[in-house]
Amino acid sequence: MKVSGLYTHACRMICLLLISACVLVRTESLSMNTSYARLGRRANITCPFYPVRTWVGGIRERNLVSITNYKVANPDYPSAKRLAVSEKYSLIIYNVTSFDFQVYRCTRNILDTYDIQLKQAIDPSNIKIIEETEPHRVVGVVGQNMSTTCTVTSGVPEETLIIKDGDETEMVKGGPGSVKFQLVPDHYDEGRNFTCFALSGDEHVLSYTVQLQLRYKPNITIQAYPNNTTMAGNPIELRCNDEEGSTNVISRYRWLHNGKYLNHSLKVLQINVTSRMDNGNFTCTAENEAGKARDTIEINVLYAPVIEKYSVSFSENNQNISVNCNVSGNPNNFTFGEWKHISDVNTVIRHLNGSKEGRLNISSFTGTAKAYENGGVYVCNVSNGIRSTDDKLWQTGKIQVIIKESPVFTEQSKPEQIGYIDNTSSLFVDVMSSSKILSTTWFREGSEETKIDRSTMTRKSQIIETEFHNKMVYTKGYRCTLTIYKTKPEDFHNYTVTVQNEYGSSSFIIQLLYAGPPRTPKIITVKRTSNGILVKWESVFDGGYTTTYELEYRKVTGTKWDRIQIEENILSTNFIAAPNIDYLVRIKALNKMGHSSFTKQQKVSAEDTESQHSAVIYGTSVFTAIMFCISGVFGCFWCYSIIEKKGRMEADNHDMDINQDQQIAENNGVDNDNNIPEIHIVPPADNNINLNVLQGAIGVNVLQGALDVNVLQGALDVNVLQGAFDVNVLQGAFGDSCEGYSSIDRRKRMSRDQKVSYMANRSTKVFSTEL
């Protein structure tokens, strides 16, 4: 077993060594590739394997640093923010610095690795044409072979040289260092341009142009007055002159501007107002019998920056929103200033700082803003030191940024909106849309509004107000409106509007509330109860707001209304009312918008079955009490006559009896020297039941039915009653100012077992107690 284990271990070690050797052989067997990049530009390092598992840097320095893991950059790598991995796993380095010039290794697996050295690219320089006799000019003889040799100081990597003529036709290709072109000119080659281009890779980095002039033909030159460099807006004059003063007659002149013929055939070309469009080369061709000659002059029109205006679109979830200030000008050394973000109606939203190259990364300024807030117009400011024709040193350009998303409802779209009963009500939403709105649909409680009568829908473009980056601004948008004519209470519901554009749809819910006071409530019940009057009502329409009520009541005979405030959601109340009195009742509803009118006055009658029955009982009781009092008076007179007859017989005891009676009277609060009973009236605390109340409680007809007036007059003389009872006593029992009574039946020598009777305020019951 030990031998077998050792053998297995040895085999594993051998395999590992072989794999390591294969890896070394694989790595060393492949020649190292070289890639080039310029400082500040972009480098693209391509690996021959696919996919690439890792990119590693610092190979030569033996300080290996992991750069990427598949397509994810190592955040700890010093230049991680400038790194990216393409779809084909190429390593991309932005804004190359000297730190990036090193050896990189890509790995697919343990067997497939590859090293690439990134070197700094050096452009060729000092380009020139050896045969030129003066700057940008070579001379040839018609019919004779001539050479044109282009030389440069080579760069890294080595350049390719190409000579082309003015028609962009390639004449010769060679390099590095130099290339030669040979030509046997004829008179058609007069003034012909040849341009030598130095290419580093696929990029033109250097060029030099010469013009061919032939001998024995018109030798013309173009002169610019006052100078070939001028400011935009100034005039310039170009003259096509024969330098040698040849006597040859020039048959015609032709002018070209940047290779395009002009409609001009005179010796002098006059430009009254120069512009940036006049910048470039002007060529004059003069022709005679021997042939033709040409000359070219470069006109340098200095002009302020001109910024290209364009639109750019981004998706709603795009995380890398940026724009470039594409500018042209002469000279082209530009200084970029502060950016300005404005709405599409020129309302300023915010100010931003971009890069010195004229790039603005909008994503870095968004924060928690909504996607649409990054849309609008971005204005860049740039200067090259040249003032514009309107004397402005800084020039501006606009770039429209469009965020592709579904419609957006602005803050002006309120979830609660006001309607008007029996009048026209309008619901609206303000919408921003990054594309044309395709449809607008309104729904009410699940039913499409187009199927509902008395309504119309409109959508029109207009200036709307909304919030961009915590600032209210004006911008272009749409207002979608639902108009309801002769609005009814059943129209006050929730409405949903759905707006669709080419990127999607959005919905908004609006609650239509009644704008105005509520409608007059409806009284459904008014009736008397044991302790007052009960009123019940129902709400007709509350106006969409919290509703309270005011109930007012008064006596029919009165003029002043009493008021009761009723809180929200209470639809009944009970108030205390005097019995046997007719009342008027009315009610109105109130909310924060105002109040309704009062209901019609409801009369509450005092007469009902229960009150009449009580009145009969009460009248009978009063009649009985009156008859009892009358009998008592006559009894007293009769007793008094008997006592007088016996007075002499009881003379000895009379003084003692009188003293005793006086003592009893004093103890009971009565001052009386005879045997006639005294009635003491206790006035009630509340004297609000007058004679009318008594009549209402007993009823005049009841009294007349129970006790005939003539009978009373025949049985008891009025004077007798007045003698027996003081008028004030009767008024205390039945008059306007008294609601009840009490009495003590006092007789001589009767100091115990007395009865006290009283009638309580607002009660028909009579109570008695023993003294």
Side-chain angles (χ1 to χ4, degrees), residues 312-352:
V312 59
S313 298
F314 296 94
S315 298
E316 179 182 0
N317 58 355
N318 196 313
Q319 300 300 315
N320 298 311
I321 303 178
S322 61
V323 292
N324 289 319
C325 190
N326 296 333
V327 60
S328 62
N330 188 23
N332 62 354
N333 52 330
F334 303 114
T335 300
F336 293 92
E338 185 181 56
W339 288 73
K340 186 164 58 175
H341 182 196
I342 63 176
S343 72
D344 47 16
V345 292
N346 296 325
T347 304
V348 177
I349 300 172
R350 53 181 176 163
H351 298 271
L352 306 170

